[in-house]
Amino acid sequence: MNTLQLLSSALTGAFVAYSIAAEAKATVHTVITTECGAYFGWQSLGLVYSHRKAGQPGPLTRIMSCTPEEYALLSEESINVIPTHVAPSYTTHPRTGDVYSAYNKPVAVIDWLARNDVKEEYVSYYRCRYDYACSIHPRK
């Protein structure tokens, strides 16, 4: 094994150990809401990077609002970049027919909460275009 392989192996092991320790102490679950599409995939990757760089403990979940047609166009790789919950799209309001993509945010979070057993004490909501400057630790 050469030096680069040893270093890579050591860093990977340290990251896994750090991730397990961070998950064990986590009391905050960070969620971001997005729509389907490559643009939101890139924004999600940026937030994943800043989430890790800031040392934010706890899981990060992307809640993606998609129509069945939009979802069918996504690659498996783009869906599995980070843990992702796919919620139905409410861009078009089901009763009024009004088209407004901001309807997706509250409905998608409600859908995620209804279909998942969230263990953390707090849920931190981020828009995917924002980055972490530092980690967030709630006070009890």
Side-chain angles (χ1 to χ4, degrees), residues 27-31 57-61 112 118-120 122-125:
T27 60
V28 178
H29 193 129
T30 303
V31 297
L60 171 65
T61 300
W112 174 72
V118 179
K119 304 280 188 225
E120 293 72 28
Y122 300 94
V123 173
S124 174
Y125 167 78

Side-chain angles (χ1 to χ4, degrees), residues 102-133:
Y103 289 143
N104 283 321
K105 292 174 187 172
V107 175
V109 172
I110 290 167
D111 185 74
W112 174 72
L113 287 169
R115 297 174 190 272
N116 291 278
D117 183 23
V118 179
K119 304 280 188 225
E120 293 72 28
E121 296 175 82
Y122 300 94
V123 173
S124 174
Y125 167 78
Y126 266 74
R127 293 179 65 180
C128 68
R129 73 181 98 192
Y130 297 144
D131 292 329
Y132 276 86

Side-chain angles (χ1 to χ4, degrees), residues 28-79:
V28 178
H29 193 129
T30 303
V31 297
I32 57 174
T33 56
T34 70
E35 294 180 41
C36 286
Y39 173 75
F40 291 104
W42 285 111
Q43 284 191 332
S44 298
L45 282 176
L47 190 69
V48 167
Y49 173 78
S50 69
H51 184 267
R52 289 182 182 159
K53 182 110 173 128
Q56 177 63 39
L60 171 65
T61 300
R62 171 176 57 176
I63 304 173
M64 191 166 49
S65 298
C66 299
T67 64
E69 297 80 19
E70 292 170 327
Y71 186 78
L73 297 174
L74 296 174
S75 69
E76 196 68 29
E77 181 181 62
S78 67
I79 295 168

